[in-house]
Tab-separated table of all heavy atoms in Angstrom:
chain	number	residue	atom	x	y	z
A	1	MET	N	-1.932	32.134	23.927
A	1	MET	CA	-1.320	30.819	23.951
A	1	MET	C	-2.373	29.730	24.158
A	1	MET	O	-2.268	28.664	23.576
A	1	MET	CB	-0.262	30.787	25.055
A	1	MET	CG	0.537	29.521	25.090
A	1	MET	SD	1.578	29.439	23.631
A	1	MET	CE	2.556	28.053	24.012
A	2	ASN	N	-3.369	29.998	24.978
A	2	ASN	CA	-4.412	29.013	25.225
A	2	ASN	C	-5.246	28.740	23.977
A	2	ASN	O	-5.690	27.613	23.764
A	2	ASN	CB	-5.330	29.463	26.362
A	2	ASN	CG	-4.670	29.309	27.717
A	2	ASN	OD1	-3.750	28.514	27.862
A	2	ASN	ND2	-5.127	30.065	28.683
A	3	ILE	N	-5.451	29.772	23.161
A	3	ILE	CA	-6.229	29.587	21.929
A	3	ILE	C	-5.486	28.653	20.983
A	3	ILE	O	-6.080	27.750	20.393
A	3	ILE	CB	-6.504	30.955	21.257
A	3	ILE	CG1	-7.413	31.798	22.149
A	3	ILE	CG2	-7.116	30.760	19.887
A	3	ILE	CD1	-7.572	33.222	21.666
A	4	LEU	N	-4.182	28.849	20.867
A	4	LEU	CA	-3.372	27.983	20.009
A	4	LEU	C	-3.404	26.552	20.526
A	4	LEU	O	-3.552	25.601	19.746
A	4	LEU	CB	-1.931	28.491	19.954
A	4	LEU	CG	-0.962	27.671	19.124
A	4	LEU	CD1	-1.394	27.650	17.673
A	4	LEU	CD2	0.437	28.228	19.261
A	5	LYS	N	-3.298	26.383	21.821
A	5	LYS	CA	-3.324	25.047	22.411
A	5	LYS	C	-4.674	24.369	22.163
A	5	LYS	O	-4.731	23.186	21.828
A	5	LYS	CB	-3.049	25.143	23.914
A	5	LYS	CG	-2.732	23.816	24.559
A	5	LYS	CD	-2.531	23.958	26.063
A	5	LYS	CE	-1.157	24.486	26.377
A	5	LYS	NZ	-0.870	24.462	27.826
A	6	LEU	N	-5.759	25.120	22.290
A	6	LEU	CA	-7.089	24.567	22.037
A	6	LEU	C	-7.271	24.172	20.576
A	6	LEU	O	-7.835	23.126	20.263
A	6	LEU	CB	-8.164	25.566	22.445
A	6	LEU	CG	-8.384	25.757	23.947
A	6	LEU	CD1	-9.370	26.906	24.185
A	6	LEU	CD2	-8.901	24.481	24.566
A	7	LYS	N	-6.798	25.035	19.675
A	7	LYS	CA	-6.932	24.733	18.246
A	7	LYS	C	-6.098	23.516	17.854
A	7	LYS	O	-6.538	22.690	17.063
A	7	LYS	CB	-6.552	25.943	17.415
A	7	LYS	CG	-7.585	27.037	17.473
A	7	LYS	CD	-7.270	28.152	16.511
A	7	LYS	CE	-8.273	29.259	16.708
A	7	LYS	NZ	-9.070	29.470	15.523
A	8	LEU	N	-4.895	23.399	18.422
A	8	LEU	CA	-4.062	22.245	18.118
A	8	LEU	C	-4.663	20.960	18.668
A	8	LEU	O	-4.649	19.927	17.995
A	8	LEU	CB	-2.645	22.435	18.683
A	8	LEU	CG	-1.736	23.345	17.876
A	8	LEU	CD1	-0.422	23.553	18.604
A	8	LEU	CD2	-1.487	22.781	16.491
A	9	SER	N	-5.200	21.021	19.873
A	9	SER	CA	-5.804	19.808	20.428
A	9	SER	C	-7.059	19.418	19.646
A	9	SER	O	-7.324	18.233	19.444
A	9	SER	CB	-6.124	19.988	21.910
A	9	SER	OG	-7.225	20.831	22.090
A	10	ALA	N	-7.823	20.382	19.175
A	10	ALA	CA	-8.998	20.081	18.357
A	10	ALA	C	-8.581	19.479	17.016
A	10	ALA	O	-9.218	18.551	16.517
A	10	ALA	CB	-9.818	21.346	18.135
A	11	PHE	N	-7.500	19.992	16.445
A	11	PHE	CA	-7.009	19.476	15.167
A	11	PHE	C	-6.551	18.027	15.296
A	11	PHE	O	-6.864	17.185	14.470
A	11	PHE	CB	-5.863	20.349	14.655
A	11	PHE	CG	-5.225	19.836	13.395
A	11	PHE	CD1	-5.855	19.981	12.178
A	11	PHE	CD2	-3.997	19.204	13.439
A	11	PHE	CE1	-5.273	19.517	11.019
A	11	PHE	CE2	-3.406	18.730	12.290
A	11	PHE	CZ	-4.053	18.889	11.075
A	12	PHE	N	-5.793	17.733	16.336
A	12	PHE	CA	-5.259	16.387	16.497
A	12	PHE	C	-6.293	15.394	17.006
A	12	PHE	O	-6.136	14.191	16.833
A	12	PHE	CB	-4.036	16.393	17.418
A	12	PHE	CG	-2.805	16.952	16.763
A	12	PHE	CD1	-2.218	18.101	17.237
A	12	PHE	CD2	-2.258	16.337	15.657
A	12	PHE	CE1	-1.097	18.622	16.631
A	12	PHE	CE2	-1.136	16.846	15.042
A	12	PHE	CZ	-0.550	17.997	15.526
A	13	SER	N	-7.358	15.853	17.631
A	13	SER	CA	-8.375	14.925	18.123
A	13	SER	C	-9.419	14.593	17.072
A	13	SER	O	-10.186	13.655	17.233
A	13	SER	CB	-9.060	15.500	19.362
A	13	SER	OG	-9.833	16.630	19.017
A	14	GLU	N	-9.450	15.341	15.971
A	14	GLU	CA	-10.417	15.076	14.906
A	14	GLU	C	-10.052	13.776	14.206
A	14	GLU	O	-8.924	13.585	13.780
A	14	GLU	CB	-10.414	16.220	13.895
A	14	GLU	CG	-11.440	16.066	12.810
A	14	GLU	CD	-11.410	17.242	11.860
A	14	GLU	OE1	-11.302	18.375	12.317
A	14	GLU	OE2	-11.476	16.982	10.660
A	15	GLU	N	-11.007	12.871	14.109
A	15	GLU	CA	-10.730	11.570	13.526
A	15	GLU	C	-11.656	11.248	12.358
A	15	GLU	O	-11.912	10.094	12.066
A	15	GLU	CB	-10.846	10.489	14.597
A	15	GLU	CG	-9.804	10.622	15.680
A	15	GLU	CD	-9.835	9.466	16.657
A	15	GLU	OE1	-10.482	8.450	16.352
A	15	GLU	OE2	-9.229	9.597	17.713
A	16	GLU	N	-12.143	12.246	11.670
A	16	GLU	CA	-12.995	12.008	10.517
A	16	GLU	C	-12.137	11.798	9.280
A	16	GLU	O	-11.199	12.525	9.038
A	16	GLU	CB	-13.925	13.198	10.278
A	16	GLU	CG	-15.043	13.290	11.276
A	16	GLU	CD	-16.021	14.385	10.919
A	16	GLU	OE1	-16.173	14.671	9.714
A	16	GLU	OE2	-16.600	14.954	11.835
A	17	GLY	N	-12.507	10.812	8.501
A	17	GLY	CA	-11.820	10.577	7.239
A	17	GLY	C	-10.433	10.000	7.431
A	17	GLY	O	-9.985	9.720	8.538
A	18	LEU	N	-9.754	9.824	6.317
A	18	LEU	CA	-8.407	9.289	6.348
A	18	LEU	C	-7.407	10.387	6.648
A	18	LEU	O	-7.570	11.523	6.223
A	18	LEU	CB	-8.070	8.654	5.003
A	18	LEU	CG	-8.904	7.449	4.599
A	18	LEU	CD1	-8.536	7.003	3.201
A	18	LEU	CD2	-8.705	6.317	5.567
A	19	THR	N	-6.345	10.017	7.332
A	19	THR	CA	-5.295	10.980	7.605
A	19	THR	C	-4.275	10.941	6.473
A	19	THR	O	-4.281	10.041	5.629
A	19	THR	CB	-4.584	10.669	8.937
A	19	THR	OG1	-3.943	9.397	8.826
A	19	THR	CG2	-5.562	10.667	10.085
A	20	THR	N	-3.392	11.889	6.473
A	20	THR	CA	-2.355	11.969	5.443
A	20	THR	C	-1.482	10.725	5.463
A	20	THR	O	-1.111	10.198	4.410
A	20	THR	CB	-1.489	13.223	5.663
A	20	THR	OG1	-2.350	14.363	5.693
A	20	THR	CG2	-0.472	13.379	4.573
A	21	VAL	N	-1.170	10.237	6.651
A	21	VAL	CA	-0.328	9.047	6.762
A	21	VAL	C	-1.005	7.851	6.117
A	21	VAL	O	-0.354	7.066	5.409
A	21	VAL	CB	-0.010	8.761	8.248
A	21	VAL	CG1	0.731	7.452	8.405
A	21	VAL	CG2	0.763	9.903	8.858
A	22	GLU	N	-2.295	7.713	6.296
A	22	GLU	CA	-3.013	6.595	5.690
A	22	GLU	C	-3.028	6.710	4.170
A	22	GLU	O	-2.922	5.704	3.463
A	22	GLU	CB	-4.429	6.520	6.241
A	22	GLU	CG	-4.458	6.093	7.700
A	22	GLU	CD	-5.801	6.294	8.347
A	22	GLU	OE1	-6.496	7.268	7.991
A	22	GLU	OE2	-6.154	5.494	9.219
A	23	TYR	N	-3.162	7.922	3.648
A	23	TYR	CA	-3.095	8.110	2.201
A	23	TYR	C	-1.712	7.754	1.661
A	23	TYR	O	-1.584	7.131	0.602
A	23	TYR	CB	-3.429	9.557	1.821
A	23	TYR	CG	-4.911	9.848	1.815
A	23	TYR	CD1	-5.449	10.782	2.684
A	23	TYR	CD2	-5.767	9.193	0.944
A	23	TYR	CE1	-6.801	11.062	2.688
A	23	TYR	CE2	-7.125	9.462	0.931
A	23	TYR	CZ	-7.634	10.397	1.799
A	23	TYR	OH	-8.976	10.665	1.795
A	24	VAL	N	-0.659	8.150	2.369
A	24	VAL	CA	0.701	7.859	1.925
A	24	VAL	C	0.957	6.358	1.955
A	24	VAL	O	1.553	5.806	1.020
A	24	VAL	CB	1.726	8.623	2.794
A	24	VAL	CG1	3.139	8.137	2.541
A	24	VAL	CG2	1.625	10.116	2.541
A	25	VAL	N	0.506	5.681	3.004
A	25	VAL	CA	0.681	4.228	3.082
A	25	VAL	C	-0.082	3.543	1.953
A	25	VAL	O	0.433	2.633	1.294
A	25	VAL	CB	0.238	3.696	4.463
A	25	VAL	CG1	0.144	2.181	4.475
A	25	VAL	CG2	1.175	4.188	5.548
A	26	GLY	N	-1.307	3.979	1.691
A	26	GLY	CA	-2.091	3.406	0.598
A	26	GLY	C	-1.447	3.621	-0.756
A	26	GLY	O	-1.397	2.711	-1.587
A	27	ALA	N	-0.931	4.810	-0.979
A	27	ALA	CA	-0.256	5.102	-2.250
A	27	ALA	C	1.008	4.264	-2.393
A	27	ALA	O	1.312	3.769	-3.484
A	27	ALA	CB	0.079	6.591	-2.339
A	28	GLY	N	1.739	4.093	-1.302
A	28	GLY	CA	2.945	3.268	-1.342
A	28	GLY	C	2.632	1.820	-1.666
A	28	GLY	O	3.338	1.179	-2.448
A	29	LEU	N	1.564	1.295	-1.069
A	29	LEU	CA	1.163	-0.078	-1.372
A	29	LEU	C	0.718	-0.219	-2.824
A	29	LEU	O	1.005	-1.231	-3.476
A	29	LEU	CB	0.043	-0.520	-0.432
A	29	LEU	CG	0.445	-0.750	1.020
A	29	LEU	CD1	-0.799	-0.990	1.871
A	29	LEU	CD2	1.405	-1.908	1.138
A	30	LEU	N	0.031	0.782	-3.335
A	30	LEU	CA	-0.397	0.758	-4.730
A	30	LEU	C	0.806	0.756	-5.669
A	30	LEU	O	0.864	-0.025	-6.629
A	30	LEU	CB	-1.304	1.959	-5.026
A	30	LEU	CG	-1.827	2.085	-6.449
A	30	LEU	CD1	-2.746	0.916	-6.784
A	30	LEU	CD2	-2.564	3.389	-6.611
A	31	VAL	N	1.775	1.603	-5.401
A	31	VAL	CA	2.978	1.666	-6.238
A	31	VAL	C	3.754	0.358	-6.162
A	31	VAL	O	4.229	-0.153	-7.184
A	31	VAL	CB	3.862	2.864	-5.816
A	31	VAL	CG1	5.228	2.790	-6.451
A	31	VAL	CG2	3.172	4.169	-6.186
A	32	ALA	N	3.876	-0.197	-4.957
A	32	ALA	CA	4.586	-1.475	-4.811
A	32	ALA	C	3.861	-2.591	-5.559
A	32	ALA	O	4.510	-3.414	-6.225
A	32	ALA	CB	4.716	-1.828	-3.338
A	33	GLY	N	2.554	-2.621	-5.473
A	33	GLY	CA	1.786	-3.635	-6.194
A	33	GLY	C	1.929	-3.512	-7.700
A	33	GLY	O	2.087	-4.514	-8.405
A	34	LEU	N	1.885	-2.290	-8.198
A	34	LEU	CA	2.061	-2.085	-9.640
A	34	LEU	C	3.466	-2.453	-10.091
A	34	LEU	O	3.651	-3.003	-11.183
A	34	LEU	CB	1.745	-0.628	-10.008
A	34	LEU	CG	0.265	-0.256	-9.960
A	34	LEU	CD1	0.096	1.252	-10.173
A	34	LEU	CD2	-0.512	-1.021	-11.007
A	35	ALA	N	4.465	-2.157	-9.265
A	35	ALA	CA	5.847	-2.511	-9.606
A	35	ALA	C	6.013	-4.025	-9.687
A	35	ALA	O	6.650	-4.538	-10.614
A	35	ALA	CB	6.805	-1.919	-8.567
A	36	VAL	N	5.418	-4.750	-8.747
A	36	VAL	CA	5.487	-6.215	-8.773
A	36	VAL	C	4.757	-6.755	-9.993
A	36	VAL	O	5.252	-7.658	-10.676
A	36	VAL	CB	4.906	-6.809	-7.466
A	36	VAL	CG1	4.698	-8.308	-7.581
A	36	VAL	CG2	5.809	-6.476	-6.289
A	37	PHE	N	3.607	-6.193	-10.296
A	37	PHE	CA	2.835	-6.643	-11.458
A	37	PHE	C	3.626	-6.447	-12.747
A	37	PHE	O	3.758	-7.367	-13.550
A	37	PHE	CB	1.509	-5.884	-11.544
A	37	PHE	CG	0.743	-6.156	-12.803
A	37	PHE	CD1	0.017	-7.329	-12.948
A	37	PHE	CD2	0.751	-5.241	-13.849
A	37	PHE	CE1	-0.691	-7.591	-14.115
A	37	PHE	CE2	0.053	-5.496	-15.016
A	37	PHE	CZ	-0.672	-6.670	-15.149
A	38	PHE	N	4.154	-5.232	-12.951
A	38	PHE	CA	4.863	-4.962	-14.193
A	38	PHE	C	6.194	-5.690	-14.270
A	38	PHE	O	6.644	-6.046	-15.366
A	38	PHE	CB	5.054	-3.457	-14.391
A	38	PHE	CG	3.793	-2.765	-14.838
A	38	PHE	CD1	3.194	-1.814	-14.032
A	38	PHE	CD2	3.194	-3.079	-16.038
A	38	PHE	CE1	2.026	-1.184	-14.425
A	38	PHE	CE2	2.026	-2.456	-16.449
A	38	PHE	CZ	1.444	-1.506	-15.633
A	39	ALA	N	6.827	-5.939	-13.138
A	39	ALA	CA	8.067	-6.716	-13.152
A	39	ALA	C	7.790	-8.164	-13.533
A	39	ALA	O	8.559	-8.784	-14.274
A	39	ALA	CB	8.752	-6.643	-11.794
A	40	GLY	N	6.690	-8.694	-13.032
A	40	GLY	CA	6.349	-10.078	-13.335
A	40	GLY	C	5.892	-10.296	-14.765
A	40	GLY	O	6.144	-11.346	-15.357
A	41	TYR	N	5.200	-9.324	-15.320
A	41	TYR	CA	4.645	-9.460	-16.665
A	41	TYR	C	5.376	-8.605	-17.697
A	41	TYR	O	4.836	-8.335	-18.767
A	41	TYR	CB	3.160	-9.091	-16.660
A	41	TYR	CG	2.319	-10.097	-15.912
A	41	TYR	CD1	1.871	-9.837	-14.623
A	41	TYR	CD2	1.985	-11.309	-16.491
A	41	TYR	CE1	1.115	-10.760	-13.933
A	41	TYR	CE2	1.225	-12.241	-15.818
A	41	TYR	CZ	0.789	-11.961	-14.533
A	41	TYR	OH	0.039	-12.880	-13.854
A	42	ALA	N	6.604	-8.216	-17.418
A	42	ALA	CA	7.342	-7.330	-18.330
A	42	ALA	C	7.554	-7.979	-19.689
A	42	ALA	O	7.363	-7.337	-20.728
A	42	ALA	CB	8.679	-6.935	-17.713
A	43	GLY	N	7.941	-9.244	-19.696
A	43	GLY	CA	8.189	-9.927	-20.972
A	43	GLY	C	6.930	-10.058	-21.800
A	43	GLY	O	6.931	-9.812	-23.008
A	44	ILE	N	5.849	-10.449	-21.174
A	44	ILE	CA	4.573	-10.616	-21.887
A	44	ILE	C	4.080	-9.275	-22.417
A	44	ILE	O	3.649	-9.168	-23.570
A	44	ILE	CB	3.528	-11.255	-20.958
A	44	ILE	CG1	3.948	-12.656	-20.563
A	44	ILE	CG2	2.152	-11.264	-21.608
A	44	ILE	CD1	3.126	-13.253	-19.443
A	45	LEU	N	4.147	-8.237	-21.567
A	45	LEU	CA	3.680	-6.919	-21.999
A	45	LEU	C	4.545	-6.363	-23.127
A	45	LEU	O	4.023	-5.757	-24.073
A	45	LEU	CB	3.684	-5.953	-20.822
A	45	LEU	CG	2.631	-6.232	-19.747
A	45	LEU	CD1	2.855	-5.323	-18.547
A	45	LEU	CD2	1.244	-6.039	-20.307
A	46	THR	N	5.840	-6.578	-23.072
A	46	THR	CA	6.738	-6.101	-24.138
A	46	THR	C	6.397	-6.771	-25.455
A	46	THR	O	6.319	-6.121	-26.504
A	46	THR	CB	8.203	-6.371	-23.758
A	46	THR	OG1	8.483	-5.742	-22.517
A	46	THR	CG2	9.154	-5.850	-24.818
A	47	THR	N	6.167	-8.073	-25.417
A	47	THR	CA	5.823	-8.811	-26.636
A	47	THR	C	4.496	-8.350	-27.203
A	47	THR	O	4.363	-8.137	-28.416
A	47	THR	CB	5.765	-10.325	-26.326
A	47	THR	OG1	6.996	-10.734	-25.757
A	47	THR	CG2	5.496	-11.122	-27.593
A	48	GLU	N	3.509	-8.185	-26.341
A	48	GLU	CA	2.186	-7.772	-26.810
A	48	GLU	C	2.210	-6.364	-27.402
A	48	GLU	O	1.609	-6.100	-28.437
A	48	GLU	CB	1.173	-7.837	-25.672
A	48	GLU	CG	0.844	-9.254	-25.238
A	48	GLU	CD	0.171	-10.056	-26.339
A	48	GLU	OE1	-0.649	-9.508	-27.082
A	48	GLU	OE2	0.490	-11.263	-26.439
A	49	PHE	N	2.887	-5.429	-26.711
A	49	PHE	CA	2.958	-4.074	-27.245
A	49	PHE	C	3.786	-4.002	-28.516
A	49	PHE	O	3.504	-3.214	-29.407
A	49	PHE	CB	3.506	-3.103	-26.196
A	49	PHE	CG	2.492	-2.682	-25.183
A	49	PHE	CD1	2.704	-2.897	-23.821
A	49	PHE	CD2	1.305	-2.066	-25.564
A	49	PHE	CE1	1.772	-2.520	-22.885
A	49	PHE	CE2	0.351	-1.687	-24.628
A	49	PHE	CZ	0.584	-1.902	-23.286
A	50	ALA	N	4.810	-4.831	-28.632
A	50	ALA	CA	5.612	-4.862	-29.857
A	50	ALA	C	4.786	-5.366	-31.028
A	50	ALA	O	4.963	-4.916	-32.160
A	50	ALA	CB	6.840	-5.733	-29.656
A	51	SER	N	3.873	-6.294	-30.770
A	51	SER	CA	3.050	-6.812	-31.868
A	51	SER	C	1.991	-5.804	-32.300
A	51	SER	O	1.497	-5.876	-33.423
A	51	SER	CB	2.399	-8.137	-31.465
A	51	SER	OG	1.436	-7.909	-30.455
A	52	LEU	N	1.623	-4.874	-31.405
A	52	LEU	CA	0.642	-3.852	-31.767
A	52	LEU	C	1.244	-2.788	-32.684
A	52	LEU	O	0.553	-2.263	-33.558
A	52	LEU	CB	0.091	-3.175	-30.520
A	52	LEU	CG	-0.806	-4.015	-29.623
A	52	LEU	CD1	-1.176	-3.239	-28.371
A	52	LEU	CD2	-2.075	-4.410	-30.367
A	53	PHE	N	2.492	-2.468	-32.486
A	53	PHE	CA	3.096	-1.374	-33.258
A	53	PHE	C	4.021	-1.967	-34.248
A	53	PHE	O	4.967	-2.006	-34.594
A	53	PHE	CB	3.792	-0.374	-32.333
A	53	PHE	CG	2.840	0.225	-31.345
A	53	PHE	CD1	2.888	-0.124	-30.003
A	53	PHE	CD2	1.864	1.117	-31.741
A	53	PHE	CE1	2.018	0.438	-29.084
A	53	PHE	CE2	0.973	1.689	-30.835
A	53	PHE	CZ	1.063	1.335	-29.508
């Protein structure tokens, strides 16, 4: 039991690099930013792509 407790405390005390939560928050912000961008420029992008094809 002590070995498990030591390994868990070592795992949670490690602070190198980004954590999973930080990656998820970053990905969420990226998706939200892209959604706002494409929502704002949907008409322009539709017209431009329609003229290409």
Side-chain angles (χ1 to χ4, degrees):
M1 186 68 172
N2 285 337
I3 294 172
L4 179 62
K5 194 183 281 188
L6 287 173
K7 287 187 185 243
L8 282 175
S9 73
F11 176 76
F12 286 116
S13 68
E14 183 179 317
E15 295 186 14
E16 286 186 30
L18 296 175
T19 63
T20 304
V21 174
E22 291 168 326
Y23 281 117
V24 169
V25 169
L29 289 172
L30 179 65
V31 168
L34 288 173
V36 168
F37 172 78
F38 284 116
Y41 291 102
I44 296 169
L45 290 172
T46 303
T47 304
E48 290 296 322
F49 281 122
S51 68
L52 291 175
F53 301 108

